[in-house]
Amino acid sequence: MEYAIETVRRGTLAIGIKSKDGVILAVEEKARKLQISNVTQKIFQVDDHIGVAAAGYIPDARTQVDHARFFAQSNRLIYDEPVDVEGVAKNIADMAQQFTQYAGVRPFGVALILAGVDKNGSALFLTDPSGTYIGYDAVAIGAGSDQVTEFLEKSYKADISLDEGAALAIESIYLVSEEKTGTRHLKMAIIDNKTKTMRKVEDEEIERYASMARDRTSKRGT
């Protein structure tokens, strides 16, 4: 279990922020020079209204996401309604916990941030290799997450707008990233309260949020 948690700590940063208008997922992805950068490796879609950001061993994340997708689709078929975000978080956590108690298997070396909008409103949950799941207003996982969590505790406000939340997420990544400018290493997805649908944020929009983040940083420095 200690190795699994350490794998998460060494993963690149992932952030989830809940705003009054929806939920934001943002990650840092360090692409190689010749790598196609428009394919997101760390953000996944579980259902129309639920997204996931991962830190740690990404192949393990894909396994958990596939499991969550099956659970979400089964819920639609059986109950004819979208699954609750907390229900998916609990299901993933239950799966992770089983891999901590049997011989011959290893714990999943990944933590997931689940974000979505359901009948209860916007929701944000963290699952970890131990099988724990906890709800948050804002959360960070991966390398530098302790520093980012401290920053979010000081900067986050419950009435934050979607744009401000996206800018705060990017400002948080810049705080611990080796790259303090540019957006090639940033990926983002948003689920807003109106459409209840996850969408990938395009590069031009990320650049706008990054500009807002740099302005916020410069104001704090003055």
Side-chain angles (χ1 to χ4, degrees):
M1 180 59 62
E2 288 79 8
Y3 287 115
I5 292 171
E6 184 61 27
T7 301
V8 173
R9 288 201 187 104
R10 294 187 181 189
T12 51
L13 191 68
I15 294 172
I17 293 178
K18 189 161 66 171
S19 79
K20 63 180 182 180
D21 307 311
V23 196
I24 303 110
L25 292 172
V27 299
E28 180 179 21
E29 292 189 3
K30 298 176 181 177
R32 297 181 178 89
K33 284 187 178 180
L34 299 178
Q35 184 177 330
I36 298 172
S37 61
N38 63 350
V39 179
T40 306
Q41 303 291 329
K42 292 185 56 181
I43 294 179
F44 307 88
Q45 187 163 7
V46 171
D47 204 340
D48 290 341
H49 63 301
I50 300 175
V52 167
Y57 190 52
I58 300 305
D60 282 1
R62 292 201 304 269
T63 298
Q64 291 192 338
V65 168
D66 284 345
H67 180 82
R69 286 169 177 162
F70 182 82
F71 177 75
Q73 292 305 310
S74 296
N75 190 89
R76 280 185 183 272
L77 287 169
I78 295 169
Y79 301 108
D80 194 29
E81 65 178 14
V83 68
D84 291 345
V85 181
E86 184 173 0
V88 177
K90 181 180 182 300
N91 187 262
I92 291 175
D94 288 346
M95 177 193 184
Q97 194 277 330
Q98 289 181 17
F99 278 73
T100 68
Q101 66 183 48
Y102 298 115
V105 297
R106 63 165 177 80
F108 288 99
V110 69
L112 302 181
I113 299 172
L114 286 94
V117 179
D118 56 27
K119 63 188 178 188
N120 301 311
S122 56
L124 191 67
F125 288 91
L126 169 68
T127 67
D128 70 14
S130 72
T132 301
Y133 79 97
I134 303 171
Y136 284 91
D137 287 325
V139 65
I141 52 176
S145 58
D146 290 343
Q147 185 179 349
V148 170
T149 298
E150 189 177 328
F151 172 71
L152 288 172
E153 287 172 353
K154 294 176 181 176
S155 306
Y156 177 81
K157 296 177 182 177
D159 62 346
I160 195 169
S161 71
L162 206 56
D163 284 358
E164 290 170 335
L168 178 62
I170 291 178
E171 189 179 7
S172 300
I173 294 174
Y174 280 156
L175 185 69
V176 297
S177 175
E178 295 174 1
E179 298 183 50
K180 305 296 184 185
T181 59
T183 58
R184 177 179 161 80
H185 61 302
L186 304 175
K187 302 294 180 186
M188 183 179 289
I190 287 173
I191 306 105
D192 67 76
N193 291 345
K194 288 182 180 178
T195 64
K196 296 184 179 180
T197 302
M198 175 178 158
R199 68 176 179 87
K200 175 188 173 185
V201 179
E202 299 299 331
D203 293 342
E204 296 80 9
E205 196 174 352
I206 290 178
E207 179 55 52
R208 179 168 68 85
Y209 293 140
S211 179
M212 291 172 61
R214 289 189 289 267
D215 289 344
R216 289 164 59 105
T217 303
S218 62
K219 286 178 182 177
R220 284 196 177 93
T222 55

